[in-house]
Every structure is written in structure tokens, then in C-alpha cells.
Amino acid sequence: MQKINVLGALLVLGLMVQCKEDKKSVNKVESSAPITEVAESVVDTTPILIEKPENIKVPEGMVWIPGGEFIQGAVPQDKMAMDHEKPAHKVKVDGFFMDVTEVTNAQFAKFVKETGYVTVAERAIDWEEMKTQVPEGTPKPHDSILQPGSLTFKKTKTSVPNLYDFSQWWNWTIGANWKQPNGPGSTIKGKDNEPVVQVAYEDALAYCEWAGRRLPTEAEWERAARGNKSESIYFWGDDDSILSQMANTWEGEFPVTNNKADGYEQRAKVKSYPPNDFGLYDMAGNVWEWTSDWYNTNYYNELGALNGPVVNPQGASTPYNPNMPYAKEKVMRGGSFLCNASYCASYRISSRMASSLDSSLEHLGFRTVATVDMLTE
């Protein structure tokens, strides 16, 4: 069945489902949140794979992330941390391989050329499916609006007093897709080495299947991002004064002016900034990255209540977000070129946000991982 960008459609329709993830609501865990059955992530003393087996070759474009135990979640000195990044909890993960960079336009174009794949943002909209994912009684919008497209960013002309109403700078743009990431007239020509964006979760999974890879779990992603900085806010340490040298973020007054102190206003080529301890690029800023975990506001609290490290956690068994009750959301990590200290500072290692399965945005991409088992099989 064809899917649509529900989040974008909601914005167009002017529905009441808006981004209300301000610090007050994000920091409040609803008592009515369903149990996430974290027992699926077994707490035990099972040995984990730490070093790369000698008989396994590192796949091209990937690096080995050694397995180990670490503290997932916000570090104590992080004053920007939100409650859905807390409490910090012990996690153990097996070693795995991860893409050095986000999947690029060139890589995704090769996938599309070889498979003929059509992304969610390029498909015709099915109203019968759409109305099952919005409040009952929502009237059908005009056919001129129900056209393939996606969400694009537009700077505001004046200061924005409420930075938690994202409808002020996100627009539903007909014709926006991975080949025209900023809408009709934009292009990826000459931008082979920029990360591909405007890919929904389903699109990322399709690429993974073709490439023989999978998306990382949230725990794997954070293990990889932290490197050897087990107690740091950022992948380079705690010094935010060198942010412009380390990541592509929004510098200036968001969402009005960007002074481009880091050299870019939108997406940067991969490898434009220094790598982390494991040799991974863009683990902060540039574009958000999909993970395989459901977003559930109660999940970290349940993990924190367990006595001991959780081995290879797979995330919550069910999605739950009281601010987006009609959406099924996955966790995204790493921040983007739109992250600013006044808004979310999501270039921090522990930062996490969510996006609905069928949403694609101009600042959201992905990278893949491979396990030893996947390669030997």
C-alpha cells in the first residue's frame, strides 16, 4: 500500500497536531505511557563481541566499532539535556561495522538506478490510507494539495517567540524529494558527496536490503558516536567554543539568520569536519540519522530501573509519544544543520528526537551498519 508523508500533510491541513515538544512537555513522562516490555533486551552477563574477528574483512566504506559496555544517555554536566535523554543507564553492545559517513546522494542514486525504487515522497497520495492516521472526522483536503511532496525548511523574516511551533519554518512542498531536496528547482547535481535526504524510514530500509546492511539501533549509534569519550557532552569533549570547527550546525539566530561560521548554511559534503575517535564523520550536525528503535517517552525510565547493563537493546517494543498520538515514530540521532543552542543543541551525543515512519525531511538521512553474522551469512 502506498504511504504518504503524514507529518507534512498534517501541517498543510492545519491540524491541531503540532510540534509541542517544548522542554516542559518533552521533560514530562506521561503516567499513562504504555509499558514498553524492555524485557526483550535481556539484562545478563553474556559475553559480547569486542574485537573484530581476524577472518572478517572490513567492508569498503565502513569501520569496526568495538563492542563494550558504556553509559547511554545524558552526562551529568550537560545542562541542555532533556528528560527523554535520562536517566543514563548501562548498556553492552557487540562490536559491529558502521558506515564512515551518511549514505550519500551518489550511493542512493546507484541504488535507485539498479532497482527502479520510488521513494515515499515521490508516490501518489492515498487519502483512504491517510485518513486512518489523522484524527477522525478530518475533512479531505483539496486534490491540489494531495500531491507528492515532502517537508522543506524556510527561514523566517523576523524573530520567532515560540521556538517549539515548528510549523513556522517547516513547509509542505509539492515536488520535494531526494532529487529535489529543497523543492522544485533545487537539484543534487554536483552534490554527489552530500548526504541523501528526503528519505522516509521505508526508503532507508529498502536501501539497506539492497546493500546487505541494516539501520543501527539507538544504542549502537550512541556507542559509535561516543568513541572513547565516555563522559563527554560532544564527540570531541565538552568545549562548545569550537563547535563551528567540528560540526555543521545553525549559527546565528534560529530560524532567522545563519552566519555560516562553520562554512555552510545547508548540507555539507560528508567528511567536511574532523572524525570522532572511531573514524566516523558527521556524528554531530549536518543531517539527522534514522535508527531502528521505536520512540517511546517511557523507554529510558524503564531501562534505568533495571539492575545491570542491558545487552544489545533493540528499543521499545511499541511507539508512544503523547505529543504525536497518531504517529508511529522512530528515533533519529545526531542533529543537523538546523540545530542551534537556543532550540535543541542536538549536536550533543545523547540528543535524540523522533520522526514518523513516512516522514521525509531535508535534514534527515541515514547510515548503515553490518554485523559479523550478517557478513558470514
Side-chain angles (χ1 to χ4, degrees), residues 152-163:
T152 60
F153 172 82
K154 183 178 181 180
K155 291 191 292 187
T156 60
K157 296 181 179 180
T158 59
S159 298
V160 176
N162 177 13
L163 285 175

Side-chain angles (χ1 to χ4, degrees), residues 20 36 69 124 150 195 197 204 220 232 241 260 303 334 340 343 372:
K20 298 185 182 297
T36 62
E69 179 177 318
S150 192
V197 292
E220 288 172 335
S232 297
S241 69
K260 295 186 285 188
L303 288 183
N340 180 266
Y343 179 50
V372 170

Side-chain angles (χ1 to χ4, degrees), residues 53-313:
E54 294 183 359
N55 63 324
I56 299 295
K57 182 180 179 181
V58 178
E60 183 179 356
M62 305 186 94
V63 293
W64 174 254
I65 307 301
E69 179 177 318
F70 69 102
I71 305 297
Q72 180 178 358
V75 294
Q77 71 272 26
D78 187 354
K79 305 303 181 184
M80 291 293 294
M82 297 182 182
D83 271 8
H84 68 171
E85 301 169 34
K86 305 172 184 176
H89 47 277
K90 292 182 180 180
V91 169
K92 292 169 66 175
V93 295
D94 286 317
F96 57 97
F97 297 98
M98 181 176 245
D99 289 338
V100 171
T101 72
E102 298 116 338
V103 173
T104 64
N105 285 322
Q107 291 171 312
F108 199 80
K110 182 180 180 182
F111 154 65
V112 170
K113 181 178 180 180
E114 292 187 6
T115 63
Y117 183 80
V118 178
T119 62
V120 171
E122 298 173 278
R123 303 175 196 172
I125 292 177
D126 184 344
W127 170 245
E128 292 304 311
E129 180 182 357
M130 176 183 175
K131 69 182 182 182
T132 67
Q133 303 176 61
V134 297
E136 185 176 354
T138 299
K140 180 182 177 181
H142 193 274
D143 288 343
S144 61
I145 295 176
L146 287 180
Q147 300 295 321
S150 192
L151 288 169
T152 60
F153 172 82
K154 183 178 181 180
K155 291 191 292 187
T156 60
K157 296 181 179 180
T158 59
S159 298
V160 176
N162 177 13
L163 285 175
Y164 300 100
D165 176 8
F166 68 69
S167 63
Q168 297 171 98
W169 55 84
W170 282 111
N171 296 304
W172 172 253
T173 303
I174 294 173
N177 54 57
W178 73 276
K179 292 177 290 188
Q180 300 183 114
N182 301 103
S186 63
T187 181
I188 59 171
K189 290 183 179 179
K191 300 178 180 180
D192 283 354
N193 291 325
E194 288 187 8
V196 67
V197 292
Q198 298 293 19
V199 285
Y201 188 77
E202 178 181 328
D203 305 329
L205 291 185
Y207 177 93
C208 286
E209 182 177 1
W210 169 78
R213 303 287 185 259
R214 65 169 172 81
L215 293 176
T217 65
E218 184 178 13
E220 288 172 335
W221 194 98
E222 185 161 331
R223 165 63 177 163
R226 285 203 173 279
N228 300 320
K229 304 293 193 302
S230 61
E231 300 178 355
S232 297
I233 299 174
Y234 315 106
F235 76 77
W236 61 88
D238 286 349
D239 185 3
D240 61 1
S241 69
I242 60 172
L243 174 62
S244 62
Q245 303 170 40
M246 307 303 291
N248 180 16
T249 66
W250 185 282
E251 296 188 307
E253 182 185 357
F254 183 84
V256 185
T257 56
N258 188 332
N259 60 36
K260 295 186 285 188
D262 53 30
Y264 297 89
E265 184 168 17
Q266 296 181 329
R267 295 166 294 278
K269 291 181 180 179
V270 298
K271 297 187 178 182
S272 292
Y273 301 90
N276 76 349
D277 295 335
F278 291 152
L280 299 167
Y281 293 85
D282 291 331
M283 296 302 279
N286 214 15
V287 300
W288 285 98
E289 300 176 15
W290 286 110
T291 73
S292 61
D293 287 24
W294 288 117
Y295 178 74
N296 188 305
T297 56
N298 209 37
Y299 183 57
Y300 271 30
N301 285 276
E302 293 181 6
L303 288 183
L306 298 176
N307 183 24
V310 182
V311 179
N312 294 318

Side-chain angles (χ1 to χ4, degrees), residues 353-375:
M353 288 294 175
S355 188
S356 59
L357 293 177
D358 44 9
S359 289
S360 51
L361 305 106
E362 70 167 85
H363 70 337
L364 173 58
F366 68 104
R367 76 178 72 209
T368 73
V369 300
T371 64
V372 170
D373 288 343
M374 291 171 66
L375 297 178

